Amino acid sequence: MTVRVGFIGTGGIATSHLLNLASIEDAEVVALCDIAPNRVEEAREYVNRNILTRSEAEGVEPRLIEAATYTDYRQMIRNERLDAVYICLPPFAHGDPEHAALDANLHMLVEKPVALDLRVANDILRRINEQGVIATAGYQLRYMGFIDKAIELLRNTVIGQTIVLRFTRTPGTSWYHRQDRSGGMMIEMATHQVDLLRFLVGEIRKVYAAAATRINNLDNPEYDIFDVNSSTFTFDNGAVCSFAINFLTGPSGLPDLRGVHIFCKDYILSMDISLKVRRGDDVEEFGLEHDPMLEEDKAFIEAVKTSNPAILRSDYLSAVRTLAVTIANDRSARSGMPVDVNELLRAEAPQAAW
């Protein structure tokens, strides 16, 4: 079976998925949709140019993207014989496209965050559960080559504390600096590290955050997202986390400090683009081994082809729980009070409560 794929949204992250799908034999991209027609063509030209370069270097026949193009995703879904869609949209645009895909019983890979509103995500999750479609989210860090080693080590020890550090600059996308469009740095960007914590350490029960807009609004009065954030998380298993992120550095973001650090009874795990396991003065390092986003795309196509969602490392339910942690963080920062994540889910996304 060849999995026939359509894209809703062809911005930056979509081009990475398109390049990956061109190398997956069982995938065929048959349609591309974006409200900006020039963006569809720019994406196709960029991807095909890179496919040609890669094929020439590898000495293989190129599989170029020769898909139909649309500006209306509903028309694309009506006209094309699709098995699955990639929904690669800004945070504020989620909701209606997912429901249109579900109306056609299409499987979905939804880029993170899956919504800005837990109620929107809850309605989508309810339909996914009722219809039994395969739905995953774009949390590619779960597919890093060393993650299985980290899981193995964490299974056999006691976790005391985690520390997460991420420092970078505000992305240049026009909608990013607006709270009602991106959700801010925890909801849109640090969601990856929050999700990785949930995957490795366990469910996050309580969030207590302090955040502010300190610098980036000085030259841009429309900048209304936080640019500094410090949070404390408490896990169901009793472990605690200190989480710091800001938008005050260049793109390299202090590489010597950034990453997820997990302090255990017998060792310390530190991970960013590699995993370092520290036992006293001894350090053992494990590399990425492969492109995690490519592995994510391979898993999604295989899951659709074989009707086996169990091979996926992130389902839509888990993505909603990650969203809840980041929304809890934002609400705690604004209220000055801790927020219980499961109570928030029970109130606004009961399909994802535990």
Side-chain angles (χ1 to χ4, degrees):
M1 170 189 176
T2 298
V3 178
R4 295 171 59 85
V5 177
F7 271 71
I8 302 175
T10 60
I13 195 67
T15 60
S16 297
H17 288 299
L18 285 165
L19 277 167
N20 289 341
L21 293 177
S23 68
I24 299 173
E25 186 175 342
D26 293 325
E28 181 184 3
V29 178
V30 298
L32 303 173
C33 177
D34 200 292
I35 58 172
N38 62 309
R39 195 153 52 216
V40 177
E41 291 308 320
E42 288 170 2
R44 187 186 355 224
E45 289 175 10
Y46 170 82
V47 170
N48 282 342
R49 187 165 61 248
N50 279 272
I51 290 171
L52 287 169
T53 300
R54 183 174 64 190
S55 299
E56 184 177 337
E58 296 174 354
V60 298
E61 191 70 22
R63 296 180 66 217
L64 299 178
I65 303 296
E66 297 176 350
T69 61
Y70 295 86
T71 56
D72 183 338
Y73 59 82
R74 294 178 183 86
Q75 184 181 16
M76 179 186 77
I77 291 171
R78 283 195 305 269
N79 289 359
E80 301 293 335
R81 184 169 56 85
L82 299 173
D83 299 304
V85 290
Y86 276 64
I87 300 178
C88 302
L89 297 172
F92 64 86
H94 288 288
D96 288 344
E98 284 87 344
H99 284 294
L102 286 164
D103 288 343
N105 222 41
L106 297 177
H107 306 296
M108 301 185 294
L109 187 150
V110 183
E111 265 303 334
K112 60 77 201 168
V114 294
L116 288 181
D117 186 325
L118 281 169
R119 293 179 179 88
V120 169
N122 187 69
D123 287 344
I124 295 167
L125 178 59
R126 175 184 52 78
R127 291 192 63 187
I128 289 168
N129 291 338
E130 290 172 354
Q131 295 176 219
V133 303
I134 294 170
T136 188
Y139 286 108
Q140 67 263 27
L141 298 189
R142 294 187 177 208
Y143 293 87
M144 292 187 294
F146 52 74
I147 288 298
D148 286 343
K149 182 64 178 179
I151 291 171
E152 175 192 336
L153 290 167
L154 293 172
R155 188 183 296 126
N156 298 309
T157 190
V158 176
I159 300 170
Q161 182 185 31
T162 67
I163 296 176
V164 180
L165 303 172
R166 182 162 188 183
F167 313 118
T168 185
R169 63 183 176 187
T170 311
T173 313
S174 60
W175 46 263
Y176 207 104
H177 62 263
R178 291 179 51 186
Q179 181 69 26
D180 64 343
R181 311 298 271 176
S182 71
M185 59 187 176
M186 284 296 291
I187 291 173
E188 204 289 328
M189 183 175 287
T191 182
H192 278 298
Q193 284 70 36
V194 170
D195 186 75
L196 190 60
L197 286 175
R198 289 187 50 254
F199 189 53
L200 294 176
V201 181
E203 293 297 351
I204 296 168
R205 170 65 65 168
K206 286 191 177 180
V207 178
Y208 193 14
T213 309
R214 296 290 300 162
I215 293 176
N216 286 299
N217 62 325
L218 299 179
D219 297 321
N220 181 2
E222 294 184 356
Y223 191 106
D224 69 351
I225 62 173
F226 296 137
D227 59 9
V228 296
N229 180 94
S230 295
S231 307
T232 299
F233 300 161
T234 305
F235 293 86
D236 262 355
N237 60 18
V240 297
C241 173
S242 297
F243 197 118
I245 179 174
N246 69 49
F247 278 166
L248 304 183
T249 73
S252 61
L254 301 177
D256 293 339
L257 294 177
R258 72 184 181 208
V260 175
H261 308 279
I262 305 176
F263 295 78
C264 309
K265 176 179 178 292
D266 304 301
Y267 29 74
I268 302 168
L269 308 187
S270 296
M271 60 195 79
D272 185 27
I273 58 173
S274 68
L275 168 66
K276 293 179 180 178
V277 183
R278 292 177 169 86
R279 296 178 174 89
D281 294 331
D282 296 328
V283 180
E284 188 176 8
E285 187 167 6
F286 302 86
L288 274 178
E289 297 180 4
H290 51 241
D291 177 355
M293 186 179 285
L294 175 58
E295 295 305 306
E296 173 188 70
D297 288 326
K298 286 179 178 178
F300 177 60
I301 296 301
E302 184 66 17
V304 173
K305 178 185 174 183
T306 60
S307 301
N308 180 20
I311 65 177
L312 297 169
R313 295 200 165 195
S314 174
D315 58 15
Y316 195 89
L317 164 63
S318 184
V320 177
R321 289 179 174 174
T322 293
L323 175 64
V325 175
T326 59
I327 288 178
N329 189 96
D330 188 75
R331 293 189 185 176
S332 176
R334 295 179 190 281
S335 69
M337 299 295 292
V339 175
D340 186 295
V341 175
N342 205 33
E343 287 182 6
L344 177 61
L345 283 168
R346 287 173 182 158
E348 299 182 20
Q351 293 280 328
W354 70 88

